[in-house]
Amino acid sequence: MRKENFMEKQKKLIRLSNLLLDSLYELKKAKLRQIQNVMEDFGIRCSDTTKDSHLFYAAIERNWLSSAEQIISRVNRNLNDFSYHLQRFKELVNSDETVLPKLADIYAELIQIEQEFGEIKFDSNEKAISVTTEPITLNDIPLGPFEVKLSIDQISKLYSDAPFRIIALRPNPAGSNDEVTHPHVSDERLCEGDGHVSIRSAIEQGRFCDFFTMAVNILQTYNPDSPYISLDDWEGISCYDCGCTISSDDCYYCEYCDRDYCSQCSSYCQMCDTAMCLGCAYGCPSCNEPVCRNCTAKCKDCEETFCKDCLDEEGLCQNCQEQRKENENEEQEQLSEEPKADAAVQSDSVGETIVHA
């Protein structure tokens, strides 16, 4: 390596070391602020206890026994909360034993990272450092290489959120969820499992090489007890209705809701053979067969929806056809009876003489 390149690389690592050290100072400050908040809360509770003590003494001196008993009840209710806050206060104070590393220590960590994983990438826009893994294959399923990216500005939020992401560079996601790019990675977040405490301790103490090593080891290992999606189901598709994982060959796509379903949660139109889910299928009230919405129509008389096969050329369902036929028969009967009635009226007046007044 030429001397100019070596010097430039050295300057880069020193700048990164300073940024990382500053982030660890911010992390330390965030933890001290947390202790301060708990300390203030604990002090307020102690002050409340002192006030109750004075009130209790005054109540006894003045023979206000009922008031004294009320104070005892209030103190008794607060004892559990007081005990909880005391324990939390002790845990925070006892855990604050992290010694901040020196600049030279962090620089040495960065050198070790490059020896283990190759050149460190620095994203100046995100202020993040990252390393890239070799292509990873688990149970004969190629998942491609991953980028482990540590956001320097987010290290101060270590106690509330993970400051790193796992980015699939040539993703081969699970068939049922594109966000799952690894059995232990979902939406670029790593399921750390038992390594949660160790990973955070490594970051807190400035052991950045250990952090990257542990993260990469998790990526290179498959734990069948706690995957987001099992490798056995990796190539499958999740049924939107029941959630079962199915192969792409057994998957049925419903074009009406734009989702995939298994055979148990899907059907097909009896008229046009279009696949559809049970929710989008319509059961014809006449023939009880499932049909798609494109193969239905409303009866012109009753306006109820039927499959088109159950409507006649005039657009009538069977009940309305029968009703119309009955109405037509009744009209014909009425028409055929009207002449007979006229003839009967005329026969009653035969032989009668009109008498003029």
Side-chain angles (χ1 to χ4, degrees):
M1 180 183 296
R2 296 178 57 183
K3 184 177 180 180
E4 293 82 1
N5 293 339
F6 175 78
M7 293 296 294
E8 185 62 31
K9 180 179 179 180
Q10 193 175 37
K11 289 179 181 179
K12 171 188 171 183
L13 293 180
I14 291 174
R15 286 196 298 269
L16 289 179
S17 299
N18 276 304
L19 289 174
L20 289 168
L21 185 58
D22 289 343
S23 69
L24 292 178
Y25 272 111
E26 290 299 319
L27 178 62
K28 181 76 171 180
K29 190 186 296 184
K31 190 167 188 178
L32 292 176
R33 283 181 181 147
Q34 188 179 16
I35 293 176
Q36 180 185 5
N37 293 335
V38 175
M39 186 184 300
E40 289 176 353
D41 183 67
F42 183 71
I44 291 172
R45 294 179 183 278
C46 289
S47 177
D48 290 341
T49 303
T50 301
K51 290 178 183 179
D52 284 336
S53 176
H54 293 319
L55 292 173
F56 187 71
Y57 175 79
I60 293 176
E61 289 296 316
R62 299 177 185 180
N63 292 322
W64 296 346
L65 302 185
S66 178
S67 296
E69 289 176 349
Q70 291 177 5
I71 294 171
I72 291 176
S73 297
R74 183 169 66 243
V75 170
N76 187 44
R77 288 194 304 269
N78 293 336
L79 278 177
N80 289 334
D81 288 342
F82 187 87
S83 176
Y84 166 77
H85 286 278
L86 176 61
Q87 183 63 31
R88 185 179 175 213
F89 184 34
K90 289 171 62 178
E91 289 175 354
L92 280 173
V93 172
N94 292 335
S95 65
D96 187 39
E97 299 176 354
T98 303
V99 178
L100 288 173
K102 298 178 181 178
L103 183 64
D105 297 329
I106 298 180
Y107 180 84
E109 288 287 330
L110 297 180
I111 294 294
Q112 187 176 357
I113 290 172
E114 291 202 329
Q115 292 174 350
E116 293 286 339
F117 302 101
E119 183 179 1
I120 298 174
K121 295 180 181 179
F122 175 61
D123 187 332
S124 57
N125 293 327
E126 294 187 21
K127 285 191 177 180
I129 60 173
S130 62
V131 301
T132 302
T133 71
E134 296 292 330
I136 293 175
T137 299
L138 298 176
N139 290 11
D140 296 328
I141 296 178
L143 303 174
F146 290 85
E147 181 182 10
V148 183
K149 197 168 193 176
L150 176 64
S151 178
I152 298 174
D153 285 348
Q154 298 300 314
I155 289 178
S156 61
K157 301 178 182 179
L158 178 65
Y159 307 120
S160 59
D161 194 14
F164 59 91
R165 294 180 294 142
I166 309 297
I167 304 168
L169 300 180
R170 294 199 299 272
N172 176 25
S176 58
N177 190 343
D178 289 341
E179 298 294 332
V180 180
T181 55
H182 184 283
H184 306 306
V185 176
S186 178
D187 194 22
E188 298 185 350
R189 300 180 69 87
L190 178 67
C191 177
E192 303 152 42
D194 295 337
H196 175 83
V197 175
S198 299
I199 285 178
R200 273 155 180 71
S201 295
I203 295 175
E204 186 179 35
Q205 297 168 13
R207 295 184 288 109
F208 296 108
C209 185
D210 286 346
F211 154 70
F212 282 110
T213 299
M214 285 186 282
V216 171
N217 285 342
I218 293 175
L219 293 175
Q220 293 174 336
T221 306
Y222 173 56
N223 182 357
D225 296 328
S226 60
Y228 286 109
I229 294 178
S230 170
L231 287 175
D232 294 335
D233 301 326
W234 198 258
E235 303 295 339
I237 298 173
S238 178
C239 172
Y240 181 80
D241 195 355
C242 68
C244 293
T245 302
I246 52 179
S247 67
S248 57
D249 294 336
D250 296 329
C251 173
Y252 295 87
Y253 173 74
C254 177
E255 64 181 32
Y256 297 104
C257 62
D258 194 28
R259 295 188 176 101
D260 297 309
Y261 295 87
C262 67
S263 59
Q264 299 298 320
C265 299
S266 61
S267 182
Y268 66 95
C269 178
Q270 298 297 317
M271 295 184 64
C272 66
D273 289 337
T274 299
M276 56 191 172
C277 68
L278 297 179
C280 293
Y282 180 75
C284 176
S286 179
C287 64
N288 295 322
E289 295 291 346
V291 291
C292 68
R293 66 186 67 174
N294 293 331
C295 293
T296 62
K298 287 186 177 181
C299 173
K300 290 184 177 180
D301 279 4
C302 66
E303 295 188 349
E304 188 174 354
T305 302
F306 295 86
C307 70
K308 293 180 179 179
D309 278 351
C310 290
L311 299 176
D312 64 4
E313 295 178 355
E314 296 182 11
L316 299 176
C317 67
Q318 185 175 358
N319 289 336
C320 290
Q321 293 174 40
E322 294 175 354
Q323 186 63 44
R324 278 198 179 187
K325 190 172 183 180
E326 289 179 4
N327 293 339
E328 290 174 356
N329 291 337
E330 289 178 0
E331 290 177 358
Q332 290 177 359
E333 290 177 359
Q334 290 176 359
L335 291 174
S336 62
E337 291 175 356
E338 285 181 359
K340 296 179 181 179
D342 292 341
V345 171
Q346 291 176 2
S347 62
D348 290 341
S349 60
V350 174
E352 293 184 357
T353 303
I354 300 175
V355 177
H356 298 282

